[in-house]
């Protein structure tokens, strides 16, 4: 009954057996058809040099020495360490079975905390731990009997030298832990159907399908894939395919909880050349996502093929009963063109972001990039990247970014990049800034900055503000431009604005590494400039021979 997905992580807590500790514990009683056996951890010498595997071997060996000698007692055969990330304790799951005429497995969860391995234990295998507070945790256990699971939940509170264990009914959706296949891509659905059993009409009643309403070209298959990795009397999930030739194939989950049946579509493939496809994913114990992609051929001439894709991503909240509650529904659009360039395959991709408002204008991003491929048809780095901000109503371009911008990830191209919009000149309108990967180097970050023009309702490239790192101080109403050309030259340029967004004055702090005339020595020439109305009204310089930087 051990879950093959469990692993044995490193055990860094020293396990020191202390049978005299005063532990306030609610005793967890376990009833079984076989004779009740009181399990106690026999004391043994802890060795700091023991590895995790050796520790488990010795831990299991002590149980075997005591109980496995008597065939009427428990037979222990395995142990694994289980814990969640950043947990203050670890659990040793001990596995065994009662000796008898029929197979009757047993598992126990022993807790290691603060150099102690407590003799008090929880019946069942711990498969999940939720942190409720820094000292309180919720243990999910499977106290299975024969081939069926029995789930229990325990609050474990840790004190300095004791633990308190209390059974509870409060828990999260732990079914997520047992979902066998959390992602459905439908990439291999034809192969999966080949390995599935076709259902006859007289078997469809098991799925709640009226066989008299099944069309001639409609076929059903029972998938051999299990939905849950553990069988239990509380939850049951089965998967079947519904196939209509020339139309679509659906992969459907039928979930039964307390005789209440829910059906959820896990995947769809349909249309000519699979022109639409739905995939799905159980993201965590509360979020389920369906992604439907519609593909349309828009260009088919000579060596060029063009496709348009509309993706509808629906996010649901689900519970242990598999009730679905829609959280959001987003639509994403992009195009792909396949062609030959210099005799080699290449692709152009065009991404359209979700519409958003900036400076009271409804707009969206259009991002174009080119992808080439190596001899093994693996995509190389995207290049020739350009991005346009387009007015949704007039379709006019508001700005064109410099080429070859850095793409954080493909998903980011569908969003507004709102973090890149800031008011740089304090005129009440959002401006735009983007990192330039071409001109930036190891010592200098180059940003392209665009100021919004309220008259033309466009963003104009600002040569004055570009080519540097830019910092905005809303309290002082200043922006600072920092130019760093390595050790030899850098500038800090501060621009001060008034309440209406007009420049009051500017300051420049310049440091330049200069070589002395007729000498091999160097010094820093420090220059301070104050500028008003584009004229230098103050200019001070001084030498600094301290070259330690």
């Amino acid at each position: 009954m051990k879950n093959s997905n469990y692993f044995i992580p490193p055990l860094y807590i020293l396990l020191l057996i202390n049978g005299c500790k005063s532990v306030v514990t609610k005793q967890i009683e376990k009833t079984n058809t076989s004779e009740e056996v009181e399990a106690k951890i026999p004391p043994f010498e802890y060795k700091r040099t023991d590895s995790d595997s050796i520790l488990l071997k010795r831990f299991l060996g002590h149980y075997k020495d005591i109980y496995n000698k008597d065939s009427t007692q428990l037979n222990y055969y395995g142990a694994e360490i289980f814990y969640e990330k950043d947990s203050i304790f670890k659990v040793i799951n001990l596995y065994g079975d009662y000796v008898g005429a029929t197979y009757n497995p047993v598992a126990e969860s022993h807790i290691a905390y603060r150099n102690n391995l407590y003799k008090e234990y929880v019946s069942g295998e711990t498969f999940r731990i939720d942190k409720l507070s820094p000292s309180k945790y919720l243990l999910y256990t499977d106290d299975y009997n024969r081939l069926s699971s029995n789930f229990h939940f325990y609050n474990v509170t840790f004190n300095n030298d004791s633990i308190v264990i209390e059974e509870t009914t409060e828990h999260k959706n732990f079914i997520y832990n047992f979902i066998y296949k959390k992602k459905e891509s439908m990439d291999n659905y034809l192969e999966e159907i080949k390995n599935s059993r076709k259902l006859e009409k007289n078997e469809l009643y098991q799925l709640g399908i009226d066989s008299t309403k099944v069309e001639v070209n409609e076929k059903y298959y029972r998938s051999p894939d299990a939905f849950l990795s553990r069988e239990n009397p509380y939850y049951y999930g089965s998967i079947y395919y519904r196939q209509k030739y020339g139309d679509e194939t659906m992969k459907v989950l039928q979930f039964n909880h307390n005789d209440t049946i829910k059906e959820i579509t896990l995947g769809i493939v349909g249309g000519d050349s699979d022109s639409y496809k739905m995939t799905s994913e159980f993201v965590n114990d509360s979020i389920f996502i369906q992604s439907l992609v519609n593909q349309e051929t828009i260009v088919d001439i000579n060596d060029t093929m063009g496709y348009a894709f509309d993706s509808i991503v629906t996010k649901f909240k689900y519970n242990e009963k598999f009730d679905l509650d829609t959280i959001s529904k987003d639509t994403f659009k992009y195009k792909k063109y396949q062609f030959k360039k210099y005799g080699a395959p290449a692709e152009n991709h065009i991404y359209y972001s979700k519409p958003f408002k900036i400076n009271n204008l409804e707009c969206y991003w259009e991002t174009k990039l080119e992808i080439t491929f190596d001899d093994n048809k693996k995509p190389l780095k995207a290049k020739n990247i350009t991005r346009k901000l387009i007015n949704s109503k007039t379709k006019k371009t508001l700005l064109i970014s410099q080429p070859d911008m850095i793409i954080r990830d493909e998903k980011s191209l569908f969003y507004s990049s709102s973090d890149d919009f800031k008011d740089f000149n304090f005129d009440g309108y959002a401006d735009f800034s983007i990192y330039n990967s071409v001109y930036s180097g190891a010592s200098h970050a180059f940003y392209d900055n665009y100021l919004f023009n309220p008259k033309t309702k466009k963003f104009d490239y600002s040569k004055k503000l570009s080519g540097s790192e830019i910092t905005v101080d809303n309290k002082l109403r200043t922006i600072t431009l920092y130019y760093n050309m390595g050790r030899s030259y850098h500038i800090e340029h501060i621009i001060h604005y008034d309440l209406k967004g007009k420049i009051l004055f500017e300051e420049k702090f310049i440091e330049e590494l200069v070589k002395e005339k007729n000498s091999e020595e160097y010094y820093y020439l420090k220059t301070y400039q104050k500028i008003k109305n584009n004229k230098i009204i103050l200019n001070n310089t001084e030498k600094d021979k301290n070259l330690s930087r």
Side-chain angles (χ1 to χ4, degrees):
M1 292 297 297
K2 291 190 294 181
N3 193 327
S4 61
N5 291 330
Y6 294 158
F7 59 97
I8 304 180
L11 178 60
Y12 296 109
I13 299 178
L14 301 180
L15 302 180
L16 178 61
I17 304 309
N18 187 349
C20 300
K21 285 287 184 182
S22 109
V23 180
V24 183
T25 306
K26 177 181 176 182
Q27 185 64 35
I28 309 302
E29 296 182 353
K30 175 180 178 180
T31 58
N32 198 290
T33 54
S34 299
E35 180 182 354
E36 186 76 15
V37 176
E38 181 183 4
K40 294 182 179 179
I41 302 177
F44 68 95
E45 180 186 359
Y46 175 77
K47 298 179 181 179
R48 294 177 181 271
T49 57
D50 280 354
S51 64
D52 297 335
S53 59
I54 292 177
L55 174 63
L56 287 174
K57 185 177 181 180
R58 294 179 62 241
F59 175 81
L60 180 61
H62 278 270
Y63 273 88
K64 286 184 175 181
D65 290 342
I66 292 180
Y67 296 109
N68 290 6
K69 292 178 180 180
D70 189 345
S71 60
T72 63
Q73 302 294 309
L74 278 172
N75 172 47
Y76 292 106
Y77 59 78
E80 287 184 350
I81 298 174
F82 177 81
Y83 68 100
E84 297 290 348
K85 184 179 179 181
D86 299 327
S87 177
I88 63 172
F89 70 101
K90 294 177 174 66
V91 173
I92 297 181
N93 284 320
L94 180 65
Y95 304 102
D97 53 28
Y98 284 100
V99 177
T102 58
Y103 175 68
N104 197 354
V106 65
E108 300 166 2
S109 299
H110 298 266
I111 298 173
Y113 171 63
R114 287 201 174 184
N115 302 336
N116 291 312
L117 184 62
Y118 290 99
K119 66 179 181 180
E120 289 77 12
Y121 66 91
V122 174
S123 296
E125 174 191 5
T126 296
F127 61 85
R128 172 171 169 169
I129 301 173
D130 288 345
K131 184 177 181 179
L132 306 180
S133 74
S135 61
K136 188 175 181 179
Y137 291 77
L138 176 63
L139 266 62
Y140 296 68
T141 68
D142 186 356
D143 190 11
Y144 38 72
N145 182 19
R146 298 187 189 277
L147 299 178
S148 180
S149 292
N150 295 288
F151 302 118
H152 297 277
F153 319 97
Y154 300 97
N155 284 326
V156 180
T157 304
F158 292 87
N159 300 316
N160 290 331
D161 61 350
S162 65
I163 56 174
V164 178
I165 305 175
E166 297 176 306
E167 189 166 7
T168 180
T169 58
E170 299 293 327
H171 62 272
K172 294 183 180 180
N173 182 9
F174 64 92
I175 295 301
Y176 173 77
N177 296 66
F178 301 138
I179 296 177
Y180 180 73
K181 193 176 179 182
K182 294 180 172 63
K183 290 184 179 181
E184 292 290 348
S185 67
M186 299 298 288
D187 290 337
N188 301 314
Y189 74 99
L190 290 176
E191 189 66 29
E192 291 178 10
I193 287 179
K194 288 182 182 179
N195 298 322
S196 301
R197 185 174 66 85
K198 181 182 176 182
L199 297 178
E200 303 297 335
K201 286 188 176 180
N202 60 354
E203 296 179 291
L204 296 180
Y205 74 93
Q206 299 176 4
L207 300 176
I209 298 172
D210 186 351
S211 60
T212 62
K213 297 182 179 179
V214 175
E215 299 178 10
V216 176
N217 64 345
E218 193 172 344
K219 297 183 180 181
Y220 290 83
Y221 300 87
R222 174 75 74 182
S223 173
D225 293 340
F227 178 65
L228 299 178
S229 61
R230 297 197 182 198
E231 296 183 6
N232 64 88
Y234 317 107
Y235 305 93
Y236 176 74
S238 62
I239 298 173
Y240 71 88
Y241 286 96
R242 171 184 176 272
Q243 188 177 59
K244 294 180 66 175
Y245 290 105
D247 190 5
E248 68 181 20
T249 299
M250 298 178 62
K251 192 171 187 178
V252 182
L253 163 67
Q254 193 174 86
F255 190 78
N256 190 324
H257 173 55
N258 292 337
D259 296 326
T260 300
I261 298 176
K262 303 286 176 62
E263 285 200 343
I264 299 176
T265 302
L266 300 178
I268 301 176
V269 174
D272 296 334
S273 301
D274 297 341
S275 60
Y276 63 91
K277 181 185 293 186
M278 174 187 283
T279 59
S280 64
E281 180 180 3
F282 291 93
V283 179
N284 52 40
D285 58 15
S286 63
I287 301 298
F288 172 68
I289 293 178
Q290 289 177 333
S291 300
L292 177 63
V293 179
N294 293 293
Q295 174 183 317
E296 178 186 358
T297 301
I298 54 177
V299 175
D300 185 0
I301 54 173
N302 299 327
D303 292 333
T304 301
M305 292 292 298
Y307 306 93
F309 300 88
D310 287 332
S311 299
I312 302 174
V313 178
T314 307
K315 182 183 292 187
F316 299 93
K317 186 175 183 180
Y318 76 99
N319 55 24
E320 60 185 4
K321 300 177 183 178
F322 274 68
D323 299 318
L324 297 185
D325 184 18
T326 302
I327 299 174
S328 63
K329 181 178 286 189
D330 294 321
T331 301
F332 305 98
K333 298 177 181 290
Y334 73 100
K335 296 177 182 178
K336 178 173 70 174
Y337 296 89
Q338 297 174 329
F339 56 96
K340 291 285 184 69
K341 187 172 184 179
Y342 307 120
E347 291 181 355
N348 278 341
H349 291 242
I350 305 176
Y351 297 85
Y352 301 90
S353 76
K354 295 172 60 178
F356 63 97
K357 272 193 173 183
I358 195 72
N359 297 330
N360 291 322
L361 295 176
E362 185 87 14
C363 52
Y364 63 89
W365 287 107
E366 178 190 275
T367 306
K368 293 184 179 181
L369 56 91
E370 180 183 306
I371 299 177
T372 55
F373 298 83
D374 61 17
D375 295 337
N376 296 320
K377 295 183 179 181
K378 291 185 178 181
L380 301 173
K381 184 178 179 181
K383 61 181 182 179
N384 297 330
I385 305 168
T386 58
R387 201 171 202 197
K388 294 181 181 180
L389 184 65
I390 299 175
N391 189 311
S392 299
K393 293 183 179 179
T394 66
K395 303 303 178 183
K396 291 183 178 180
T397 300
L398 303 182
L399 76 82
I400 301 177
S401 70
Q402 297 296 315
D404 289 323
M405 51 170 269
I406 281 185
I407 297 177
R408 299 183 184 93
D409 58 73
E410 190 178 77
K411 292 181 180 179
S412 68
L413 301 179
F414 292 114
Y415 294 96
S416 64
S417 300
S418 56
D419 292 341
D420 296 327
F421 287 96
K422 294 178 182 178
D423 186 1
F424 295 133
N425 56 359
F426 304 95
D427 62 353
Y429 294 99
D431 307 304
F432 181 72
S433 177
I434 191 167
Y435 180 78
N436 190 310
S437 61
V438 175
Y439 295 106
S440 296
S443 62
H444 180 57
F446 191 112
Y447 284 80
D448 295 314
N449 298 313
Y450 302 78
L451 297 178
F452 184 73
N453 188 329
K455 293 182 180 180
T456 63
K457 297 188 183 301
K458 292 183 177 181
F459 291 82
D460 299 327
Y461 178 74
S462 175
K463 185 176 181 180
K464 180 175 183 176
L465 301 185
S466 296
S468 66
E469 297 180 53
I470 185 168
T471 304
V472 180
D473 190 322
N474 291 308
K475 290 184 179 180
L476 297 177
R477 301 183 69 82
T478 64
I479 62 171
T480 300
L481 307 173
Y482 186 72
Y483 306 81
N484 182 19
M485 304 303 177
R487 185 173 178 229
S488 62
Y489 187 80
H490 67 268
I491 301 175
E492 188 174 355
H493 183 187
I494 304 174
I495 305 176
H496 300 256
Y497 291 87
D498 64 13
L499 296 177
K500 295 182 179 180
K502 301 295 183 181
I503 296 178
L504 288 172
F505 64 94
E506 303 172 52
E507 294 177 290
K508 285 187 177 180
F509 299 86
I510 306 170
E511 282 193 2
E512 184 178 5
L513 189 62
V514 179
K515 185 178 181 181
E516 287 274 15
K517 290 183 179 181
N518 303 321
S519 173
E520 295 300 321
E521 295 185 356
Y522 287 82
Y523 64 90
Y524 277 107
L525 180 64
K526 292 186 175 182
T527 302
Y528 169 78
Q529 294 177 344
K530 186 172 183 180
I531 304 166
K532 194 167 186 179
N533 297 326
N534 294 321
K535 293 183 179 180
I536 299 175
I537 61 174
L538 184 61
N539 189 72
N540 292 329
T541 60
E542 65 176 24
K543 290 184 178 181
D544 183 359
K545 293 188 177 182
N546 181 13
L547 301 183
S548 60
R549 290 289 187 270

